[in-house]
Amino acid sequence: MGVILATAVDRTRIPAGVRAGLGAAARPDRSWREARTALRFTSAREPVIRYADLGALALLAEIPRDTARDNADVAAIARIAGRPADLETLDTYCAAGSLRRAADLLHLHDSSVARRLEQIGEALGIDLTEPTGLTRAGVALTAWRLLDG
């Protein structure tokens, strides 16, 4: 998998399998820092990220790794990390915001996704059917991914 750090690039021209972080600050040193930060937020589901599109989410990259690692929600994500299907289900659900949309994206029946999410929620200690639970899970998943970046 390739990696691109850039200040400007056409999103549609990035080859498959390449992750890209894009910065756009007026100063080159700041733009480079923004591109590196954006790259940390990329995933298989979203391989190209523009720093400007992160908004307040970029603040998560500023949290010290030890602080993030010690957070109960992030630690719970780390515990389920060995189950790729659970991570994919949780990631898709957090991105989609609804069970039906997640089921469509995962090509699974609604009841299968609901069962998975119930089990994942129990493992995390988070009620994923509540808006606050969905937000907590999404932030924890993002913070966990940033530990590697």
Side-chain angles (χ1 to χ4, degrees):
M1 175 184 304
V3 173
I4 296 173
L5 291 173
T7 56
V9 73
D10 180 357
R11 223 176 237 229
T12 62
R13 300 188 75 182
I14 295 177
V18 172
R19 293 180 13 220
L22 309 175
R27 293 186 5 230
D29 61 323
R30 184 170 179 182
S31 185
W32 187 251
R33 189 171 57 249
E34 288 178 0
R36 282 193 344 245
T37 298
L39 183 65
R40 292 179 63 200
F41 283 85
T42 62
S43 66
R45 181 181 48 78
E46 201 167 3
V48 179
I49 301 282
R50 293 184 192 283
Y51 181 85
D53 294 340
L54 290 173
L57 289 175
L59 296 172
L60 291 175
E62 302 298 322
I63 297 171
R65 283 183 169 87
D66 288 341
T67 301
R69 197 175 291 109
D70 291 343
N71 178 272
D73 290 349
V74 176
I77 295 289
R79 285 192 300 275
I80 69 163
R83 302 190 308 256
D86 285 353
L87 283 180
E88 179 185 20
T89 300
L90 181 61
D91 180 52
T92 303
Y93 178 63
C94 287
S98 82
L99 185 121
R100 282 183 194 234
R101 180 73 181 128
D104 287 345
L105 292 169
L106 292 166
H107 307 290
L108 294 170
H109 193 273
D110 295 3
S111 62
S112 297
V113 174
R115 187 176 62 254
R116 281 188 188 183
L117 289 172
E118 183 178 334
Q119 292 169 345
I120 293 166
E122 287 174 9
L124 297 177
I126 298 173
D127 183 354
L128 297 173
T129 64
E130 293 293 323
T132 301
L134 179 60
T135 301
R136 278 179 60 190
V139 170
L141 184 60
T142 300
W144 174 78
R145 283 193 176 122
L146 290 173
L147 291 173
D148 289 335

